[in-house]
Amino acid sequence: MTIMNCSCVWVIKRLRKRIPEAPFEVLIDGKPMGTTKLLTFARHVPNTDRFPQVLALYSSGYLRLKAGADPLPPLPFGQSLVLGPAISGTSTSFSNKTLFFHPQIQRVAINTSQINQDGTNSLLIKITASNSKLSHDSTKTNRIMNLAWTLTLNEPSDQATMLNVAGTFEFTEGVIPDPMQTAEADSMRLLQISTMFIDNLRHDVDAFRFRNSGGVVTVDYDSALSNTLLPVTPSSLHPETLRFDSLHTDDVGQPNGNTPSYRITINSTAGPMSGPITVRAFFNSSQNLKDDNLGLWAFQQPSERIEKGTIGSINYTVIASTCPLPAIDFDPGVLNASVFPRRKFFSSSRMLLIML
């Protein structure tokens, strides 16, 4: 995207997209901006007229994030973050086991008050998804709970973009998580990554990594591991480093090429789940390059029965980087500040935002 003679720093754009979910309402600083199924956020590259996209937000609750660099050809998007939680089980309205996988977003309100204040240059993005406008047979996550998320999109660097997600949820009917999937660390997904792995030449990611009590564990994807829960022997995240990586370690990965790696750091959880957090992955043997056939998620043990009115929260940070961040960051106390160098901020008169 190129925008000539523009003094803005952030550009927010509504785009057309063929997806089954209904469009959502968009507001900027309280002003209605219409509806869309896809909203993109682009950031100005200093001393150029280029505005590469760093975030794409879909009405299905899928988010795609990448770094702020703008080479030729442009950096591609790859894996998607799916806003959670997701849950598999039965409920008051669904007597058969049902997977409530992702929400139907209904409203996105963007607040620009944090731009160039207190040494920051970030956007606040508030998202809501309630069950008030859904059909009775919908299996979106907001069919059984009201959800809200506050996203803080920080100023990207060439190497990485950071997004903080603070989510809250309230169950609008009773739910019983599937006990067999609970035993496999699969019934209550705090957050999910949806992406593609076909083989070592066709993929958007090729491994995931975390630290357990014994050290850093890297699980490489292989076609022979399709239709298998990974790691085969699960273990929980080390409580001092609730962090895991969804890795793209090469520049191959056709058809999308050098797609970003994600790092997830879980800051806090509260509600009808307790105990250690486990990361698991699964992919099927699809050969369709347009099929998100791989899922990676963070699990925490849910209550055997979740009553109507139960509330909870999940707060985590996502970093999308051009290359995998170093494994040493899994050591307690190590931060990721090196990929976000301090920049000279523009004067507030140039901190304009436009909607196209």
Side-chain angles (χ1 to χ4, degrees), residues 49-262:
D49 58 6
R50 301 194 304 277
F51 288 80
Q53 293 177 9
V54 296
L55 174 65
L57 172 59
Y58 296 78
S59 60
S60 56
Y62 281 56
L63 281 67
R64 305 179 85 183
L65 192 69
K66 64 184 177 74
D70 190 32
L72 290 174
L75 291 176
F77 284 110
Q79 53 189 318
S80 299
L81 172 74
V82 186
L83 292 173
I87 195 164
S88 182
T90 59
S91 74
T92 303
S93 300
F94 294 82
S95 57
N96 295 324
K97 187 177 76 169
T98 303
L99 173 60
F100 301 93
F101 186 79
H102 66 86
Q104 159 69 64
I105 289 177
Q106 294 160 344
R107 189 173 187 264
V108 174
I110 301 159
N111 186 314
T112 67
S113 64
Q114 296 300 309
I115 292 182
N116 207 30
Q117 293 184 9
D118 300 324
T120 65
N121 182 15
S122 58
L123 292 175
L124 297 181
I125 306 166
K126 295 190 176 183
I127 303 172
T128 54
S130 73
N131 71 352
S132 61
K133 299 179 181 179
L134 297 180
S135 64
H136 289 295
D137 59 351
S138 171
T139 59
K140 308 302 182 188
T141 53
N142 44 315
R143 177 62 183 82
I144 59 170
M145 56 185 122
N146 291 324
L147 303 114
W149 304 267
T150 297
L151 277 54
T152 304
L153 178 60
N154 293 285
E155 179 184 11
S157 72
D158 289 344
Q159 294 79 36
T161 297
M162 179 184 291
L163 181 75
N164 181 260
V165 181
T168 59
F169 55 93
E170 179 180 1
F171 282 85
T172 55
E173 58 182 75
V175 172
I176 300 176
D178 182 73
M180 292 184 62
Q181 288 182 258
T182 294
E184 296 177 333
D186 187 18
S187 63
M188 181 78 168
R189 302 179 180 186
L190 303 176
L191 60 99
Q192 301 177 87
I193 290 172
S194 180
T195 186
M196 179 268 289
F197 180 86
I198 306 297
D199 53 40
N200 63 339
L201 294 178
R202 299 172 296 171
H203 55 262
D204 283 342
V205 295
D206 52 76
F208 69 96
R209 179 174 61 188
F210 64 97
R211 181 173 181 245
N212 63 15
S213 59
V216 176
V217 177
T218 301
V219 180
D220 295 308
Y221 298 127
D222 185 283
S223 300
L225 297 173
S226 65
N227 302 309
T228 303
L229 276 170
L230 302 172
V232 176
T233 303
S235 58
S236 58
L237 300 183
H238 192 288
E240 294 184 30
T241 52
L242 295 177
R243 178 176 295 167
F244 64 97
D245 289 340
S246 182
L247 298 172
H248 191 181
T249 61
D250 57 53
D251 293 344
V252 185
Q254 297 302 318
N256 296 322
N258 188 22
T259 57
S261 292
Y262 281 5

